[in-house]
């Protein structure tokens, strides 16, 4: 009997140790909800959440590079709106989210823009090499670069890019060891800063760097993007931060992201945003062709979809919503496009408490 009790105790302790080790060693959790939305949570070495995002499109995971795990997801249809996030699963060091990633090694990442390439450390942005001179003229497009491959020693970079009006693919190799370790871009020629944010553009570039900080000065998020206009950072009505980035013409190409100091949380990226108040966001979802009202940080707290009668996308805006504003905490007045080619307009009230549409 004593032997059985001892064996049972050993078994219970073993299971407890196994579960504890499993929890401590879990670097991330990726799930997909019943609504099809992918939910990613990444933990630090203490098991504390250090990043989370909800994405309607698939979040892909690549664990092929040893301790380096790579997460990618598409916020749009182009490489410029494809996000890449790197995690060192041994140290739990997490990179900033990058866009337009052309290639990477275990230490370096290659980032494209409309007129050049930046090679920088995945986790260290203090040193970088910028390549903006090519043997052939780049095609006039926001995505002239097709791919990039680093040599095993990291001293050479082979780039495939589009050239000329006929978009001919050209392959060219650059010696990174001769480029030096400092940026060739020079100092920033555009700079705007607030208490918890910084926006800069490098000399002669339309590449903007934007960083958001928490109240302890820690970087919450940092982006470097080719943009049509400087990123805008504003304070929300609830004391948080709103980041707006413009990838093209039309509301559908304006990306919004929100940071809550109270939650110490960064929202996912939203497009075609209509209005925001007290963590509640209203936006037009081009995938479902519906107006979505949800909590920007956690859809489990609030998530509603509205389909007003006759709603039609107006091509000039690439969205069906012309304007929207909160009447109070429970009601949003929305003016949307309807009729042939979205030429007409109609205004309704979205009642958040009941989930109903109230005709004006």
């Amino acid at each position: 009997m004593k032997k059985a009790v001892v064996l049972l105790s050993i078994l219970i302790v073993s299971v407890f140790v196994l579960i504890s080790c499993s929890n401590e060693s879990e670097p991330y959790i990726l799930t997909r909800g019943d609504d099809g939305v992918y939910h990613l949570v990444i933990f630090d070495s203490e098991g504390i959440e250090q990043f989370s995002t909800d994405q309607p499109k698939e979040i892909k995971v690549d664990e092929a590079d040893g301790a380096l795990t790579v997460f990618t997801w598409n916020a749009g249809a182009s490489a410029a709106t494809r996000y890449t996030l790197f995690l060192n699963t041994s140290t739990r060091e997490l990179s900033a989210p990058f866009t337009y990633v052309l290639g990477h090694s275990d230490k370096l990442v290659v980032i494209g823009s409309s007129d050049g390439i930046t090679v920088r450390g995945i986790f260290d942005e203090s040193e970088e090499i910028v390549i903006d001179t090519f043997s052939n003229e780049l095609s006039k497009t926001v995505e002239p670069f097709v791919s990039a491959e680093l040599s095993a020693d990291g001293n050479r970079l082979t780039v495939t890019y589009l050239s000329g009006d006929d978009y001919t693919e050209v392959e060219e190799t650059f010696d990174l060891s001769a480029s030096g370790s400092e940026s060739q871009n020079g100092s920033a020629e555009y700079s705007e800063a607030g208490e918890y944010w910084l926006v800069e553009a490098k000399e002669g570039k339309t590449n903007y760097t934007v960083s958001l900080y928490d109240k302890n000065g820690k970087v919450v998020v940092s982006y470097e993007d080719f943009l049509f206009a400087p990123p805008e950072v504003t304070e929300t009505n609830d004391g948080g931060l709103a980041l707006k980035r413009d990838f093209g013409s039309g509301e559908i190409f304006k990306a919004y992201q929100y940071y809550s100091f109270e939650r110490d949380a960064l929202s996912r990226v939203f497009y075609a945003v209509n209005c925001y108040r007290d963590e509640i966001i209203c936006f037009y979802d081009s995938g479902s062709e519906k107006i979505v009202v949800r909590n920007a940080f956690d859809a489990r707290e609030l998530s509603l979809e509205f389909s007003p009668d006759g709603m039609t996308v107006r091509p000039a805006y690439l969205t069906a919503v012309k304007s929207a504003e909160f009447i109070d905490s429970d009601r949003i007045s929305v003016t949307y496009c309807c009729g042939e080619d979205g030429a007409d307009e109609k205004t309704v009230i979205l009642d958040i408490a009941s989930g109903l549409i109230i005709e004006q």
Side-chain angles (χ1 to χ4, degrees):
M1 181 65 178
K2 289 183 179 180
K3 184 176 181 180
V5 171
V6 171
L7 288 174
L8 180 60
S9 300
I10 293 174
L11 180 61
I12 292 173
V13 170
S14 299
V15 170
F16 175 76
V17 170
L18 182 61
I19 293 174
S20 299
C21 292
S22 174
N23 288 341
E24 290 175 0
S25 63
E26 193 72 57
Y28 69 91
I29 294 176
L30 177 61
T31 58
R32 187 182 186 189
D34 294 336
D35 57 358
V37 174
Y38 291 82
H39 182 60
L40 172 66
V41 182
I42 299 177
F43 304 96
D44 63 15
S45 57
E46 302 296 324
I48 299 172
E49 179 182 318
Q50 62 173 326
F51 177 87
S52 67
T53 183
D54 292 310
Q55 295 296 326
K57 296 184 179 181
E58 181 183 6
I59 299 177
K60 297 181 180 179
V61 183
D62 184 359
E63 298 178 324
D65 296 329
L68 194 67
T69 297
V70 185
F71 306 90
T72 56
W73 63 88
N74 278 33
S78 66
T81 56
R82 183 178 63 244
Y83 286 83
T84 303
L85 187 67
F86 298 91
L87 172 69
N88 185 317
T89 51
S90 296
T91 64
R92 301 297 174 89
E93 189 172 11
L94 186 66
S95 76
F98 300 103
T99 56
Y100 203 175
V101 170
L102 300 166
H104 69 88
S105 64
D106 59 341
K107 297 179 180 179
L108 301 173
V109 59
V110 184
I111 305 165
S113 71
S114 66
D115 53 6
I117 281 180
T118 300
V119 182
R120 54 152 287 180
I122 292 175
F123 303 104
D124 181 9
E125 61 179 337
S126 62
E127 297 182 353
E128 65 178 25
I129 296 171
V130 177
I131 301 170
D132 53 15
T133 302
F134 302 89
S135 300
N136 297 267
E137 183 182 1
L138 295 176
S139 297
K140 291 180 172 58
T141 171
V142 294
E143 298 177 12
F145 299 101
V146 178
S147 63
E149 184 176 354
L150 287 158
S151 62
D153 58 8
N155 289 331
R156 292 181 308 281
L157 176 69
T158 300
V159 179
T160 301
Y161 59 89
L162 303 176
S163 177
D165 295 334
D166 57 354
Y167 299 92
T168 302
E169 285 197 8
V170 177
E171 186 177 283
E172 188 171 350
T173 300
F174 300 88
D175 184 0
L176 301 182
S177 63
S179 300
S181 60
E182 295 184 358
S183 170
Q184 299 174 17
N185 270 11
S187 59
E189 67 173 15
Y190 174 92
S191 179
E192 291 287 341
E195 187 175 2
Y196 301 111
W197 57 272
L198 173 66
V199 175
E200 289 185 322
K202 296 175 181 176
E203 185 179 355
K205 298 290 180 182
T206 45
N207 245 28
Y208 291 91
T209 300
V210 56
S211 300
L212 304 183
Y213 308 91
D214 64 16
K215 292 188 176 180
N216 296 317
K218 179 183 176 183
V219 176
V220 175
V221 63
S222 180
Y223 290 108
E224 183 171 354
D225 285 321
F226 169 80
L227 300 169
F228 287 84
E232 298 177 16
V233 182
T234 55
E235 185 175 332
T236 57
N237 75 297
D238 52 4
L241 297 176
L243 167 61
K244 174 187 173 185
R245 291 174 295 144
D246 192 346
F247 290 102
S249 59
E251 289 299 316
I252 199 72
F253 295 113
K254 290 177 172 56
Y256 295 79
Q257 206 163 10
Y258 300 88
Y259 176 69
S260 167
F261 291 102
E262 185 176 348
R263 288 179 183 258
D264 188 22
L266 184 72
S267 77
R268 51 160 273 201
V269 177
F270 298 95
Y271 293 87
V273 170
N274 306 313
C275 55
Y276 175 96
R277 174 174 166 174
D278 296 330
E279 297 191 353
I280 306 303
I281 188 172
C282 174
F283 65 96
Y284 175 72
D285 184 0
S286 59
S288 64
E289 298 183 344
K290 296 179 180 179
I291 299 172
V292 178
V293 177
R294 55 159 283 181
N295 185 286
F297 303 96
D298 192 343
R300 293 169 296 184
E301 294 185 16
L302 174 68
S303 183
L304 300 171
E305 292 183 341
F306 297 90
S307 298
D309 184 47
M311 188 168 63
T312 305
V313 170
R314 181 177 293 182
Y317 298 97
L318 297 176
T319 175
V321 178
K322 184 178 180 182
S323 63
E325 62 178 350
F326 279 89
I327 299 174
D328 51 40
S329 60
D330 287 328
R331 295 180 300 165
I332 302 174
S333 176
V334 174
T335 299
Y336 64 92
C337 305
C338 57
E340 187 175 355
D341 295 328
D344 300 326
E345 298 175 3
K346 187 176 181 179
T347 300
V348 295
I349 293 175
L350 308 182
D351 188 83
I352 299 174
S354 66
L356 299 176
I357 298 173
I358 301 173
E359 298 284 343
Q360 292 269 69

